[in-house]
Amino acid sequence: GYYNNWFVTEIAWWRSGEAAKMVDAFDRSGLIFTRRANDLIFQTAVIRLFMPPDRRRRVVDFSYQHHTMRHGRVNFGGLETGTRDRD
């Protein structure tokens, strides 16, 4: 899926056409609250279904790490390694 703790997007795209219909359906379903269906799955599905590949960009010039802490310990995390990251 697309890493979603940060991304650059055109908000108008999400509010128009098929993307907007899916956003509304997902919101009405309540799955994000009742089944913990997360935004990674949802955003990736909308982008892959409705955005042409030539409009997608992957930023690869830096690495990004994100983790969740619980009780002073890392509970879950991930690292997106930039293929053009000089460090």
Side-chain angles (χ1 to χ4, degrees):
Y2 291 95
Y3 205 79
N4 61 346
N5 285 319
W6 73 270
F7 63 96
V8 177
T9 191
E10 183 180 327
I11 295 171
W13 181 82
W14 292 92
R15 294 184 174 188
S16 65
E18 297 300 314
K21 290 177 187 176
M22 193 160 171
V23 168
D24 290 341
F26 185 73
D27 190 41
R28 283 192 316 273
S29 77
L31 291 174
I32 201 164
F33 303 107
T34 61
R35 299 283 185 218
R36 294 185 54 96
N38 63 43
D39 49 349
L40 170 76
I41 295 167
F42 168 71
Q43 291 169 358
T44 299
V46 174
I47 289 168
R48 293 190 62 134
L49 286 168
F50 305 120
M51 183 178 284
D54 64 330
R55 292 202 54 210
R56 305 175 202 163
R57 301 287 182 270
R58 182 171 181 219
V59 178
V60 294
D61 59 349
F62 70 95
S63 297
Y64 177 78
Q65 178 182 351
H66 175 81
H67 59 268
T68 299
M69 299 288 291
R70 288 201 178 139
H71 309 293
R73 295 185 178 173
V74 174
N75 180 277
F76 178 80
L79 173 65
E80 177 71 22
T81 306
T83 57
R84 295 186 191 141
D85 187 353
R86 291 182 244 183
D87 295 331

